[in-house]
Amino acid sequence: MRRMSMTNMPKPATIDEASRIGRTLALAFDDDPMMRWFFPDGPAGSESAGASDEPGGDAREARLARYFSTIFTRQYAHHGVCEHTDAAAAFWVPPGAADKAVPDAATVEELSAILGERAPLFRQAAEAAAGEGPAEPHWYLAVIGADPAAQGQGHGSVLLRSGLAKADEAGLPVYLESSKPANLPFYEHFGFTVLGEVQLPGGGPTLWPMRRAPGGGRPTGA
C-alpha cells in the first residue's frame, strides 16, 4: 500500500490561512475559462493589460487571490467544509447549508470592488448557475484547485476523495459545475456524469453541471 506524503494529506482550512489559500487557488484557476472571463488581464475595470498597482506581482493574479480569499473567509469557512493540502484547496457545501453559503450584501459589495466592471456579469452568471442546481439533498463542490507546479502529485485527488467520502457516508449525491472541458475526464474518473451544458449570459463560457450518484464512481486503478 502506497504511503501518502504528509504534504498532500487533507487538513481543515482555517481563516488565518486565507491568504495562502487565495494565492494557491489563483494559480490553480489562472487558465480557467470562467475566471479568465471574470478577470481579464489588467487591473479591475480595464479590459486591457496594464502595469500592476499591486505590490509584488501581477494585478490579475492578485485580484484572483483576493476573490478566493474573500469567498473563503466570508462564506465557505463559516458554512462549508473547507480543506487544503500544501498545494491545493477545496470548498464544499453540505446539504442544508446552501442558503447560508450565499454571499451577503457586504460580501457582494466586496466582490464587486474586486471584479470591477465585470461584477454585473458575475452576478448574472451566478444566478444562471444557481438555477441549474438540483433540488434533491446533495453535497456541492463549490471550488477545488491545485497549484500547477504540483501537478501530478495527487493534491487535487486527495481533496476530492475526502469530500466524496463524506457524501458517501451520508448516502448523498455530489454536484458540481466545471467550466474547463479538460477537467471533465478527471471528474468522470471519479464517477461524475455530465448533466448538460449551460451557456453563461453576456457571451460567457460554457458550464458543465455534473452529478455523482451516492456511493458511486470508485475510480479504477486509484
Side-chain angles (χ1 to χ4, degrees):
M1 181 176 180
R2 187 176 63 180
R3 297 184 63 185
M4 186 178 296
S5 167
M6 292 302 293
T7 63
N8 65 355
M9 285 286 291
K11 296 166 282 191
T14 59
I15 287 180
D16 61 353
E17 299 169 302
S19 294
R20 184 167 67 84
I21 287 172
R23 289 193 300 269
T24 295
L25 291 173
L27 294 170
F29 282 85
D30 177 67
D31 65 345
D32 181 86
M34 189 165 68
M35 291 295 105
R36 278 277 165 190
W37 188 54
F38 291 149
F39 296 93
D41 290 331
S46 171
E47 292 295 329
S48 60
S52 171
D53 57 1
E54 307 259 351
D58 173 71
R60 180 177 178 275
E61 183 179 318
R63 290 167 57 221
L64 267 174
R66 284 179 59 203
Y67 167 79
F68 283 113
S69 63
T70 297
I71 62 173
F72 170 59
T73 57
R74 298 189 67 97
Q75 295 172 242
Y76 299 112
H78 302 287
H79 305 294
V81 175
C82 302
E83 295 183 321
H84 73 103
T85 68
D86 286 357
F91 307 157
W92 300 78
V93 180
D99 292 340
K100 299 176 183 177
V102 298
D104 58 20
T107 305
V108 170
E109 184 176 350
E110 186 171 344
L111 292 176
S112 295
I114 299 169
L115 287 151
E117 65 185 18
R118 311 296 282 183
L121 291 175
F122 176 82
R123 288 192 291 269
Q124 294 172 22
E127 291 170 1
E132 298 294 325
E136 63 181 336
H138 64 281
W139 277 73
Y140 174 59
L141 178 54
V143 175
I144 188 168
D147 184 339
Q151 186 175 3
Q153 297 178 19
H155 289 268
S157 295
V158 298
L159 290 177
L160 183 58
R161 288 190 186 95
S162 180
L164 294 180
K166 295 176 179 65
D168 286 348
E169 185 177 0
L172 292 173
V174 178
Y175 178 82
L176 61 83
E177 301 105 2
S178 177
S179 59
K180 190 174 181 180
N183 287 343
L184 300 182
F186 171 77
Y187 291 124
E188 289 171 340
H189 178 70
F190 284 88
F192 287 88
T193 57
V194 175
L195 301 178
E197 294 185 3
V198 178
Q199 188 68 42
L200 293 182
T206 301
L207 287 183
W208 287 270
M210 305 187 78
R211 180 185 184 274
R212 178 184 182 272
R218 299 186 185 280
T220 57

